[in-house]
Amino acid sequence: TRLLDGIPYATCGDAILINNAGVLAPIGSLEGVALQGMDESMHVNLMAPTLLTALFIRASERFGGRGRIIHISSGAALHPYAGWSLYCAAKAALNMLTRCVALEQRNRPRGVGICAVAPGVVATNMQAEILRTRTADFPSRETFVRLAKAGEMWPPEKVAQLILDLDEEGQLQSGGIYDLRDVTWPKGRPTIQPRPESH
């Protein structure tokens, strides 16, 4: 609430909340995860964005322009990975939260738009964490090792700019679940369609 209290509402136009924070840890079979690790994982990956979404919507009536929320999701929301049960479950729940809130906001006069975007494989500290993980804890580790060696991980700055460009172009529909690997560039402008799972 302190963040929202600091917004200059009288001069604020459009407002965008981007829920980007996420953690992979703890990685490993679920039965070996400590309860504290479960709590911390779900708090960061699901509860924090849920709370921020609710607070942002409550404050949206005070914005001068349009309110929008972009959740940073993951391909792991749709594809299960051994060793990532908590991360996959939280991201899947975040996608469903997105779809439900979009329905709630759809017919409101100043309804907030909301979508979820999976960025693909991005060269962040999260990828470094994967590379440090034992294969016994994460059997798909070698796939990510190959991507790193091949230079096929996107720079974070490129991903951030692409998401902002898609939003500015009006490509991100409320309730849509997107994957940046689906972006095409007709006439030099980014275009994307929501994944079928979002309908």
Side-chain angles (χ1 to χ4, degrees):
T1 58
R2 286 178 296 176
L3 290 173
L4 293 172
D5 289 341
I7 294 174
Y9 290 97
T11 57
C12 183
D14 285 3
I16 305 173
L17 168 65
I18 300 178
N19 280 316
N20 180 55
V23 293
L24 281 174
I27 299 173
S29 296
L30 184 63
E31 73 277 7
V33 175
L35 292 179
Q36 182 177 349
M38 292 183 187
D39 181 68
E40 291 173 355
S41 174
M42 286 298 181
H43 183 82
V44 173
N45 292 326
L46 181 58
M47 292 308 301
T50 299
L51 176 60
L52 288 169
T53 294
L55 292 173
F56 184 85
I57 291 172
R58 289 175 194 168
S60 65
E61 290 293 330
R62 301 166 66 185
F63 300 144
R66 191 164 61 98
R68 301 188 296 288
I69 299 169
I70 301 174
H71 292 310
I72 302 303
S73 183
S74 170
L78 304 176
H79 180 84
Y81 288 96
W84 284 8
S85 56
L86 294 169
Y87 182 74
C88 291
K91 290 300 185 179
L94 193 64
N95 281 3
M96 184 56 75
L97 177 78
T98 299
R99 295 170 65 187
C100 292
V101 172
L103 290 174
E104 294 170 358
Q105 294 294 307
R106 183 170 59 186
N107 296 320
R108 296 186 182 179
R110 291 177 55 82
V112 171
I114 182 169
C115 69
V117 179
V121 183
V122 186
T124 63
N125 290 337
M126 188 176 284
Q127 298 303 326
E129 182 180 1
I130 292 171
L131 300 183
R132 292 193 303 268
T133 301
R134 300 183 312 154
T135 302
D137 292 327
F138 181 51
S140 297
R141 176 183 178 276
E142 290 305 314
T143 298
F144 291 84
V145 171
R146 287 194 296 271
L147 290 171
K149 288 181 177 178
E152 296 182 14
M153 294 185 177
W154 290 26
E157 298 82 5
K158 180 179 178 180
V159 171
Q161 188 60 59
L162 180 54
I163 291 172
L164 292 176
D165 289 346
L166 288 166
D167 178 68
E168 186 174 328
E169 292 283 338
Q171 292 286 324
L172 303 178
Q173 304 167 23
S174 189
I177 308 297
Y178 297 90
D179 192 311
L180 292 188
R181 291 170 292 187
D182 297 335
V183 171
T184 58
W185 299 84
K187 300 180 180 179
R189 291 185 166 185
T191 300
I192 194 170
Q193 295 294 322
R195 287 290 173 104
E197 292 85 353
S198 62
H199 294 295

